[in-house]
Amino acid sequence: MPHIKKTIMAVAVTLTACTGTLGAFTAPALADPGGASGPGVRAAAIVNADASIVRSKGVTTVRKIATGQYCIRLDADVNAATTVPVATVRWTSAPWDSSIFVRPDGTESCGDSRDVFVGTGTAAGARDTGFHVIVP
């Protein structure tokens, strides 16, 4: 084999080995069911009234625990107790007199300190409504 072919082959083998080694040092992927990007936020999600996730970042699950009551489970590296979550109802599914309430849960309703609780409704009472939530 000519010298140039041997050199090219050695470089190709080295690059392949380096790529495999560097892959072992990458950070583990966080669970993002919806795959959204949100620069400057630790977690964010667009959630339908049935608790299905349209897209998200830093959110592992959303579950509906009662009419108009949702638990948003954040990734393990986000401490819900130290967050200031913000939520708003989705324009597409909310009546004009909609209300939304949000708080870090602290195990009160959702059962885990990694959860953020969101409550939705109207003046008449609890109502299933889609919403957006961010955790800066």
Side-chain angles (χ1 to χ4, degrees):
M1 190 183 275
H3 179 67
I4 293 184
K5 285 186 177 178
K6 285 183 182 178
T7 303
I8 291 172
M9 183 65 88
V11 169
V13 168
T14 302
L15 288 175
T16 303
C18 288
T19 302
T21 302
L22 290 175
F25 292 105
T26 59
L30 298 177
D32 287 329
S37 67
V41 299
R42 293 182 279 175
I46 299 173
V47 180
N48 290 321
D50 65 358
S52 61
I53 300 171
V54 175
R55 50 185 180 273
S56 68
K57 172 188 176 180
V59 171
T60 58
T61 59
V62 175
R63 37 184 197 105
K64 190 172 133 225
I65 58 172
T67 301
Q69 297 182 20
Y70 305 87
C71 294
I72 296 102
R73 174 70 48 93
L74 305 178
D75 280 339
D77 64 335
V78 181
N79 181 355
T82 63
T83 66
V84 181
V86 179
T88 186
V89 294
R90 289 184 64 191
W91 177 262
T92 58
S93 63
W96 281 103
D97 65 341
S98 293
S99 297
I100 189 163
F101 305 95
V102 61
R103 70 168 186 253
D105 192 58
T107 72
E108 292 176 35
S109 300
C110 299
D112 193 295
S113 61
R114 290 187 303 150
D115 292 337
V116 170
F117 174 82
V118 172
T120 60
T122 65
R127 179 182 191 276
D128 293 343
T129 305
F131 58 91
H132 301 240
V133 62
I134 64 167
V135 178

